[in-house]
Amino acid sequence: MKIELLNSEETEQFGASLLQALPQKCLLFLYGDLGAGKTTLVRGLLMAAGHVGTVKSPTYSLVEEYRLVDRSVFHFDLYRLKDPEELEWMGMQDYLQQSALCCVEWPQMGNGYLPAADVELHLSHQTDGRMIEINVLANSLKNTLVFNWKNKDLLL
Ligand code: ADP
Ligand code: MG
């Protein structure tokens, strides 16, 4: 599944519709260069989950935790990770075991330590806007994540 996101509002909107489609406990990987729109997408997802206020990039903190009304969302940015072992020290296993949606930017930095994702997103720059490719890896989600091309929407 591949779609174009014409501006940052569409990226946020996509994040919001993705939230509706994902189960409470889910591992989401976000690939893409700097500025590809990963944090923008997570911002849309968090706002749809009821978060009010800013969504700061966890580039330095590695993780930001959001305990929202209906679910917990953990937002990781592993760009500055020097060694996948750092994930052990920061208690990554605890985060992954919780009933939460874990959104991971730069998951390749945790190669060999992170388990396989349930859903992978690949964002890339276009002349205008961005392209997003969605790969659903979890068998349990393969038939439930249905993409509505016309509305640029994900449906259950
Ligand atoms: P990343 O987390 O991948 O480094 P950000 O989410 O911080 O990237 O986004 C970088 C910039 O790209 C922001 O200014 C954002 O508004 C913009 N942006 C996001 N999505 C789009 C889009 N679909 N089209 C154009 N610009 C976008
Ligand atoms: Mg980012």
Side-chain angles (χ1 to χ4, degrees):
M1 293 194 278
K2 247 186 187 180
I3 46 158
E4 267 186 301
L5 303 168
L6 299 181
N7 49 49
S8 41
E9 286 71 38
E10 285 200 3
T11 305
E12 288 188 356
Q13 222 169 44
F14 182 85
S17 52
L18 189 63
L19 176 93
Q20 310 303 329
L22 296 179
Q24 291 280 333
K25 186 174 181 350
C26 191
L27 182 57
L28 177 69
F29 283 179
L30 296 105
Y31 292 96
D33 291 341
L34 283 175
K38 304 180 293 298
T39 300
T40 306
L41 193 153
V42 175
R43 180 176 298 118
L45 183 153
L46 281 165
M47 292 187 318
H51 173 67
V52 180
T54 55
V55 170
K56 55 176 181 174
S57 179
T59 312
Y60 292 94
S61 57
L62 291 180
V63 60
E64 291 290 335
E65 302 182 29
Y66 300 86
R67 311 275 176 183
L68 302 164
V69 184
D70 292 323
R71 58 162 100 215
S72 297
V73 179
F74 302 140
H75 181 199
F76 300 89
D77 184 342
L78 307 184
Y79 186 66
R80 298 199 174 263
L81 206 70
K82 290 183 195 75
D83 189 314
E85 271 212 344
E86 278 180 55
L87 291 173
E88 200 159 330
W89 308 330
M90 71 179 277
M92 190 65 176
Q93 287 308 334
D94 285 346
Y95 286 113
L96 292 171
Q97 273 159 24
Q98 290 184 48
S99 179
L101 169 57
C102 291
C103 305
V104 187
E105 296 186 38
W106 296 98
Q108 58 270 54
M109 301 300 285
N111 239 344
Y113 187 88
L114 289 175
D118 296 310
V119 178
E120 285 183 355
L121 304 177
H122 292 259
L123 284 139
S124 53
H125 286 83
Q126 302 287 292
T127 322
D128 290 318
R130 307 286 187 269
M131 180 70 82
I132 186 164
E133 187 178 344
I134 309 122
N135 290 327
V136 180
L137 303 172
N139 282 329
S140 56
L141 287 177
K142 277 198 171 131
N143 297 323
T144 56
L145 271 182
V146 178
F147 190 67
N148 181 327
W149 294 88
K150 197 162 158 234
N151 299 331
K152 294 194 176 181
D153 219 358
L154 287 156
L155 302 174
L156 274 176

